[in-house]
Amino acid sequence: MIRIEDIHKHFGALHVLRGVSLEVTRGEVVVVVGPSGSGKSTLLRCINLLVEPDEGRVFIDGVHVNTPAIRPEWVRQQVGMVFQSFNLFTHLTALQNVTVGLIRVKDESKDAAEAKGKELLARVGLAAKENAYPAELSGGQQQRVAIARALAMDPKAILFDEPTSALDPEYIREVLDVMTALARDGMTMIVVSHEMGFAKSVATRLIFLDEGKIVEEGVPEEVFVHPKHERTRAFVSKILR
Amino acid sequence: MRRVNLDRIETILAVVVIIGVLALLGKILLGDRGLDVNYMQGIVGVFLQAAVLSVYITSMSFAIGIGIGFLVGWLRSMRTVPVGHLVRDFRIAAKEESGSAAIRNILFSLTLVWSGFKHAVRRIMDGYVELMRGTPLFVQIFFVWSVLLVYFTKIPQRDFIAVLVAMTINTGGYQGEIFRGGLQTVHSGQVEAARALGLSRWGAMRYVVLPQALRLITPPLTNEYIGLLKASSLAFYFGVRELTYYTKQEAFSGRNFEAFVLASVLYLAITFTLAKIVQRVETRYRIPGLGIQAALTRGVRRTRM
């Protein structure tokens, strides 16, 4: 489904990703953890080419996508993304946020897009908020709209970049519930998150990233309870405390 | 409700005071002669036509200026890295010896050429804006006029064209600065989300950034239009028969008060109407959480609509 091979990325003098390889099969939920600055967000952005890898190859459904022959816009329609700070379009209502991609990218009719948009808002529990602007929604509600917006494009996978980190504690649950439901429905997901409860109950695999490299990966329980590497152990003890 | 009433009373008081002062001034300067209303009625038709020409020149140059301003603003809002920084980063990366040296060198060369080009374009645009803002519009019009006079003698309506071109280029520069500010104010996360959805660079601009930026820059753009309308009075010097042209003519015939009162009223009527229309439009397209109204939408009562 998604395969990346030996990816490197520099930001100026910073060597952020130092040879990361990863394969995610259909329906898998991979949770990525790691200290800040370890390259988690950059890794996600290399998959949908918001960040162009300097070296290495990215495959989506077997298609090598980080070549000039493939339009990055096409890649981004295959792989949705949900951001830490929601990034809902400020000037659009909840419904318009969900439909704008369908209308402007997929050239769907307004009616068809709205029907689908309403269905998706209902799915994330926000049917009543379709005409609200982002500023009128709570953080949790905004993030759920953002998930609906990503779902609208019928992506093959969705990338989550710390989806609950910017939320007040009381809103984290509702977002995780939506994500859990999504995972149960078989959506392929790569989630950068330190929500260990979510990782334990939903993730099929946990990846520990440090200094631009995958240090350890495995079943969440395994990595949490019996971390093999010193650095994983140190990190896990910090976030589980 | 009480605050609204106080606001009204204040406004009415201010208007009364201004009218009072003007009446007093008129009394002192005109004595018992008063304004010659018959005479004013006689020239109002010509003045109205001239005012239409003023609005026409202003609107034409303003409209083309929006296009120039948007492009200049967009180019200037792009992020560029000075060449020195690139070289420094490259040296550090080279010392780290990751990946292959050949690929690194090719990548670096491409980045250098592209960044250099972008940087140069940006600097040129900066220079254009500075030139327009830093030199008098009158001098700019004079320059264009003289160029047309010397090199393009066969153009019909040469004076009019000269003023129009100069004002367009001038307002393009000013609007370039306005657009740059507006585009940069839109959060970068908005662009990222738009791109992540599969929108192209232009699509993200057209459907996400521009709708937000336009709402933010409506007040400064309105100011620019008003400023440009007033600046269009310079056209009289080049023989363009706009409002100030006739005002000057009538004033020299001895009816200076009548002419200037009429001209002022017309200029004021235009700017006032425009301000009202813009206010309507702003209210119509206002969005919670976007722009200056953001602070007002929560808790604080609006005292004026």
Side-chain angles (χ1 to χ4, degrees):
Chain A
M1 166 85 248
I2 294 174
R3 189 165 89 244
I4 58 180
E5 290 177 354
D6 197 29
I7 287 218
H8 285 264
K9 180 65 196 177
H10 300 259
F11 285 127
L14 262 161
H15 196 176
V16 183
L17 292 178
R18 303 162 179 255
V20 176
S21 299
L22 178 68
E23 176 143 21
V24 181
T25 55
R26 194 173 296 278
E28 244 196 308
V29 178
V30 176
V31 168
V32 183
V33 299
S36 68
S38 57
K40 306 180 296 271
S41 291
T42 310
L43 177 62
L44 284 193
R45 282 167 172 72
C46 279
I47 295 172
N48 67 356
L49 303 183
L50 277 182
V51 168
E52 185 106 5
D54 294 339
E55 288 172 54
R57 303 198 291 177
V58 180
F59 294 86
I60 300 205
D61 266 349
V63 182
H64 181 200
V65 293
N66 60 330
T67 64
I70 302 274
R71 288 167 54 239
E73 284 81 13
W74 180 83
V75 180
R76 292 171 196 143
Q77 288 175 51
Q78 316 300 310
V79 184
M81 188 160 198
V82 173
F83 299 90
Q84 179 174 359
S85 44
F86 331 130
N87 294 352
L88 287 185
F89 304 130
T90 318
H91 63 300
L92 300 179
T93 62
L95 184 61
Q96 288 169 334
N97 262 281
V98 179
T99 57
V100 67
L102 290 172
I103 297 171
R104 301 301 178 194
V105 179
K106 291 200 160 180
D107 274 331
E108 286 191 16
S109 75
K110 201 176 167 221
D111 290 343
E114 286 189 348
K116 189 172 180 187
K118 285 178 183 176
E119 192 186 308
L120 284 165
L121 282 178
R123 193 167 153 193
V124 297
L126 289 172
K129 294 288 185 183
E130 62 175 59
N131 291 320
Y133 285 98
E136 299 165 333
L137 297 171
S138 75
Q141 290 170 334
Q142 288 190 51
Q143 195 59 300
R144 279 145 67 198
V145 174
I147 293 174
R149 175 175 69 179
L151 281 173
M153 306 299 283
D154 286 323
K156 292 174 175 150
I158 300 185
L159 313 170
F160 292 83
D161 187 12
E162 307 211 26
T164 57
S165 301
L167 292 176
D168 289 331
E170 72 255 42
Y171 299 130
I172 291 178
R173 189 73 264 155
E174 62 189 57
V175 171
L176 289 181
D177 284 347
V178 169
M179 289 169 64
T180 308
L182 213 55
R184 303 252 187 272
D185 290 347
M187 176 57 75
T188 311
M189 294 159 63
I190 303 180
V191 185
V192 170
S193 173
H194 291 163
E195 293 294 335
M196 291 308 126
F198 175 79
K200 276 182 189 165
S201 60
V202 181
T204 49
R205 195 155 33 123
L206 189 89
I207 284 174
F208 176 61
L209 199 70
D210 192 18
E211 291 179 357
K213 279 181 178 161
I214 293 180
V215 176
E216 189 161 345
E217 63 177 298
V219 183
E221 292 289 347
E222 268 302 300
V223 180
F224 284 140
V225 184
H226 307 293
K228 289 193 208 77
H229 290 265
E230 184 58 40
R231 275 187 291 176
T232 321
R233 214 171 293 144
F235 181 74
V236 165
S237 73
K238 265 185 216 153
I239 60 168
L240 283 188
R241 193 174 39 193
Chain B
M1 281 310 285
R2 173 153 296 170
R3 285 183 67 178
V4 175
N5 285 338
L6 276 178
D7 252 29
R8 285 265 163 74
I9 292 167
E10 256 178 40
T11 314
I12 291 166
L13 268 177
V15 171
V16 167
V17 168
I18 291 170
I19 291 175
V21 169
L22 285 180
L24 196 66
L25 267 177
K27 189 81 186 156
I28 294 166
L29 289 168
L30 290 167
D32 293 330
R33 186 167 75 85
L35 287 176
D36 188 343
V37 178
N38 277 337
Y39 174 77
M40 284 171 81
Q41 279 172 345
I43 56 171
V44 75
V46 180
F47 269 50
L48 269 173
Q49 274 182 18
V52 169
L53 183 61
S54 288
V55 171
Y56 177 74
I57 300 175
T58 310
S59 302
M60 281 288 279
S61 46
F62 185 80
I64 304 170
I66 285 182
I68 300 174
F70 168 63
L71 277 177
V72 170
W74 194 4
L75 288 169
R76 292 178 73 217
S77 70
M78 284 185 183
R79 245 180 282 165
T80 60
V81 184
V83 173
H85 287 216
L86 283 177
V87 173
R88 190 196 62 199
D89 290 346
F90 174 73
R91 287 219 178 102
I92 300 172
K95 263 185 213 152
E96 266 193 16
E97 289 183 24
S98 68
S100 81
I103 288 178
R104 206 168 51 226
N105 286 332
I106 292 169
L107 275 176
F108 176 70
S109 317
L110 287 176
T111 318
L112 201 63
V113 169
W114 179 233
S115 301
F117 175 70
K118 279 208 294 193
H119 198 69
V121 168
R122 222 189 99 165
R123 281 273 167 264
I124 291 168
M125 291 305 153
D126 287 351
Y128 163 56
V129 172
E130 285 308 320
L131 191 66
M132 289 305 125
R133 296 205 302 172
T135 58
L137 174 58
F138 187 67
V139 174
Q140 294 165 13
I141 301 177
F142 225 132
F143 173 68
V144 175
W145 181 82
S146 66
V147 168
L148 293 196
L149 183 70
V150 177
Y151 296 101
F152 299 91
T153 42
K154 291 201 179 94
I155 294 179
Q157 290 187 290
R158 193 161 10 93
D159 302 331
F160 173 76
I161 298 286
V163 171
L164 196 63
V165 167
M167 279 176 55
T168 302
I169 297 172
N170 178 275
T171 189
Y174 273 91
Q175 292 189 48
E177 181 62 7
I178 295 172
F179 268 96
R180 182 193 60 75
L183 296 175
Q184 282 180 341
T185 311
V186 177
H187 195 268
S188 63
Q190 298 282 313
V191 182
E192 201 180 28
R195 303 281 280 149
L197 213 51
L199 283 165
S200 62
R201 208 178 273 261
W202 167 244
M205 178 54 74
R206 165 81 179 72
Y207 299 115
V208 176
V209 180
L210 210 48
Q212 298 186 33
L214 280 177
R215 285 177 171 88
L216 294 170
I217 65 177
T218 302
L221 278 184
T222 311
N223 277 342
E224 173 59 19
Y225 185 92
I226 290 173
L228 200 62
L229 175 74
K230 292 186 284 185
S232 74
S233 60
L234 293 174
F236 91 89
Y237 189 84
F238 303 91
V240 179
R241 299 180 173 207
E242 45 71 68
L243 189 47
T244 305
Y245 179 89
Y246 287 106
T247 313
K248 189 202 80 176
Q249 240 180 21
E250 298 301 325
F252 280 4
S253 73
R255 310 288 187 129
N256 41 4
F257 280 101
E258 282 79 2
F260 279 108
V261 165
L262 201 51
S264 305
V265 166
L266 285 175
Y267 275 121
L268 265 172
I270 297 165
T271 53
F272 187 75
T273 314
L274 178 75
K276 278 290 163 203
I277 293 172
V278 170
Q279 215 175 20
R280 279 273 169 83
V281 171
E282 272 190 298
T283 316
R284 164 90 176 68
Y285 289 98
R286 181 176 295 161
I287 278 168
L290 192 67
I292 308 160
Q293 288 78 27
L296 291 175
T297 46
R298 275 195 197 141
V300 183
R301 184 176 33 203
R302 248 174 256 140
T303 53
R304 288 163 42 139
M305 282 301 288

